[in-house]
Amino acid sequence: MVLHSGCSMSIPATVSAESQLPASWSPHYNCPDVSMVTPGYAGRLWSQDLHPQYWSKYQVWEWLQQTLDMHQIDATSIPFSNFDLEGRQLCSMTYQDFTRLAGSIGPILYQSLADLKWTGQYGSADMFTPGDIKTELDADLPCSILPFKEEPSFYSTSELFEIKTPFQPSAMMASPAPSSPDPKRSHSRSHQVKKHNPRGTHLWEFIRDILLNPERNPGLIKWEDRSEGVFRFLKSEAVAQLWGKKKNNSSMTYEKLSRAMRYYYKREILERVDGRRLVYKFGRNARGWRETEK
DNA sequence: TGCCTATTTCCTGTTT
DNA sequence: GAAACAGGAAATAGGC
């Protein structure tokens, strides 16, 4: 493998995937409707019949471009020539290799590939469910293999938003179809992906992902009744600030966040839990939180 | 350009 | 009295 030492990275090392980088794409490739979904979901879109080990150079590029797109990273930030590799070579790369070839984007690529390699998401799309992803990662992936593990900052948004990506398959169904009988919404599946999730992760998905990643963001929200989907905010303002940080909104408060949460009642993404403060419950239209959701 | 969705912001009143 | 809840109304922003 040829490792280029002179990577022309234009993104500083401190930039994370959540940064507001321009989402410009290289003109030769139009990403399918995956721009608003996450690596976990998109992992089944590219080369879904193949383990990354067996990808061609073209498939490696496909993966690379889609991963960058999903993280809203300018494709020109990475010298694609560094990834003129076949899947077998790609899979043999270490975390350091990715960092060397892609700079600050390397960890993101490393994690994305790790998801595909270790969670088996290259398999049949029908086999993919949010529950699968959650339980597989929780059960099968020791935190030690996660590239950001060495930065256990309590409210580290880089961890929350970068490492959690395998937990976001439901971004594709962010606006639950059962509650949307409006025929105007009856677009194709791919259209719905963008139409209903125009700004990335929804609030309820953000909350869900915190719940599914307690080891990385402990003490923010906890399950009250895991099987029933009941959870409680432990540090409501901290969650609100984290949400605000994700949305680049420094004035976010729990009051505002909770208003958005209440709108989910009508859509049955959340259910009311009467008489208990800071307690919410996932509704029938929330996806991906159940342990046994397959 | 207008519409749609998903918030965000502000507000008043109520409950704990 | 403070914090949280409830929900109306309008504004905002990104995608189509």
Side-chain angles (χ1 to χ4, degrees), chain A residues 107-147:
Chain A
I108 296 170
L109 297 174
Y110 177 80
Q111 179 61 38
S112 173
L113 185 66
D115 292 339
L116 293 169
K117 285 162 63 180
W118 295 328
T119 65
Q121 289 171 43
Y122 50 86
S124 163
D126 291 336
M127 294 170 64
F128 178 92
T129 69
D132 285 340
I133 298 307
K134 185 270 163 187
T135 52
E136 281 174 8
L137 200 67
D138 274 358
D140 299 336
L141 294 180
C143 290
S144 59
I145 65 174
L146 298 175

Side-chain angles (χ1 to χ4, degrees), chain A residues 59-80:
Chain A
Q59 286 170 317
V60 169
W61 273 41
E62 259 190 321
W63 160 78
L64 189 60
Q65 295 209 36
Q66 292 190 22
T67 301
L68 294 176
D69 188 33
M70 283 178 288
H71 288 277
Q72 297 188 330
I73 297 167
D74 191 337
T76 61
S77 302
I78 290 183
F80 269 46

Side-chain angles (χ1 to χ4, degrees), chain A residues 226-288:
Chain A
R226 180 72 172 83
S227 61
E228 292 295 314
V230 179
F231 59 92
R232 182 162 60 93
F233 282 83
L234 299 176
K235 296 180 179 176
S236 54
E237 285 301 330
V239 174
Q241 286 173 23
L242 205 53
W243 174 241
K245 185 167 184 177
K246 178 172 174 57
K247 301 294 288 291
N248 199 25
N249 178 356
S250 60
S251 66
M252 179 52 61
T253 63
Y254 176 72
E255 186 178 2
K256 295 172 185 174
L257 183 148
S258 65
R259 180 68 191 99
M261 296 282 279
R262 289 194 293 275
Y263 271 119
Y264 288 143
Y265 293 149
K266 201 168 187 175
R267 296 162 60 196
E268 296 185 82
I269 290 171
L270 294 178
E271 293 177 19
R272 283 191 184 79
V273 178
D274 292 329
R276 303 188 64 192
R277 290 187 167 202
L278 302 174
V279 176
Y280 297 84
K281 179 183 180 182
F282 285 119
R284 57 193 286 267
N285 290 329
R287 300 283 186 273

Side-chain angles (χ1 to χ4, degrees), chain A residues 25-90:
Chain A
W25 258 125
S26 53
H28 63 279
Y29 182 81
N30 286 323
C31 180
D33 290 318
V34 296
S35 61
M36 302 312 295
V37 296
T38 59
Y41 167 57
R44 66 188 181 91
L45 294 182
W46 59 64
S47 313
Q48 58 180 268
D49 295 323
L50 282 177
H51 188 283
Q53 183 87 12
Y54 304 109
W55 286 353
S56 64
K57 288 182 179 179
Y58 176 78
Q59 286 170 317
V60 169
W61 273 41
E62 259 190 321
W63 160 78
L64 189 60
Q65 295 209 36
Q66 292 190 22
T67 301
L68 294 176
D69 188 33
M70 283 178 288
H71 288 277
Q72 297 188 330
I73 297 167
D74 191 337
T76 61
S77 302
I78 290 183
F80 269 46
S81 59
N82 285 359
F83 290 87
D84 186 24
L85 311 165
E86 293 187 340
R88 185 174 51 82
Q89 297 169 290
L90 190 73

Side-chain angles (χ1 to χ4, degrees), chain A residues 189-203:
Chain A
R189 181 188 184 88
S190 61
H191 182 71
Q192 283 187 358
V193 169
K194 283 191 173 183
K195 180 71 176 181
H196 292 168
N197 193 3
R199 280 165 286 184
T201 307
H202 289 161
L203 173 58

Side-chain angles (χ1 to χ4, degrees), chain A residues 210-230:
Chain A
I210 292 176
L211 281 161
L212 297 180
N213 289 269
E215 73 281 2
R216 297 190 194 95
N217 290 278
L220 292 181
I221 314 172
K222 72 170 228 179
W223 290 110
E224 289 278 292
D225 187 333
R226 180 72 172 83
S227 61
E228 292 295 314
V230 179

